[in-house]
Amino acid sequence: MSEKDQETREKQKRSSKKAEAAGQKQDKKREAWREAVVEAVLFTMGESVELRQLAAAIQGDEKEARMAVEGLRQRYERGKRGIQIIELDGCYQMCTRVEYYDNLIRVAAAPKKHMLTDVALETLSIIAYKQPVTKLEIEKIRGVKSDHAVNRLVEYNLVQEVGRLDAPGRPALFATTEEFLRRFGIGSREELPDMDPVRAEEIRSEVEEELNLRLEEDGEQPEEDM
């Protein structure tokens, strides 16, 4: 190879490296811009945002949006920031880290905490594991009227109406909300722990016993298994 050819080849290599470096720099700028857009959207919205909405914000597809939000979330994690990004049923939300709650209430009024009674917790458990479920189905399991408990859970934004059952009277169907997921620290309903079969049988026996006692108090005879 002649000296001239070698010089030409070296120039081509340098030019190629410069172009590659420029392309990488452009990609990093684009990535940083996407993360900044996602950060602005999540901060402004306050609530959970669907992936498709983030994709629209960055004028890209959902794959690019997921890469941007995950990159931003990892950056927050590495920096041990006071803000974190959580995923809720395929949606993303920016929120304060739980460990800094005590620090926050030193400069702000403590938020009102909704105390759940045993009745409300029992009703919420039934809805969580049976959803979507009607009040009548809840009452069959509990053996008592559950209007007040369900209404209180709706008031606390732990339960919501998600539709109507295609049956006479079109009864409302209830399911848990995103607030339920946040309150109990799970990312989706699939992460609910499996109910202990022994405990499930105990609950069933307790309900049957309670129903039989009520029937006897009303002067009725409990039906025997056929």
Side-chain angles (χ1 to χ4, degrees), residues 19-30:
E20 184 179 350
Q24 291 176 348
K25 185 177 181 180
Q26 187 64 30
D27 288 343
K28 287 183 179 180
K29 287 180 63 176
R30 180 68 176 174

Side-chain angles (χ1 to χ4, degrees), residues 25-35 58-60 64:
K25 185 177 181 180
Q26 187 64 30
D27 288 343
K28 287 183 179 180
K29 287 180 63 176
R30 180 68 176 174
E31 182 181 342
W33 177 81
R34 287 172 178 164
E35 289 185 8
I58 65 172
Q59 299 176 324
E64 292 171 327

Side-chain angles (χ1 to χ4, degrees), residues 2 17 26 48 73 99 115 123-124 140 143 169 172 195 210:
S2 66
K17 287 181 179 180
Q26 187 64 30
S48 61
R73 179 159 70 170
E99 54 262 41
M115 301 302 294
T123 304
L124 181 59
K140 282 183 178 178
M195 182 177 287
E210 183 177 350

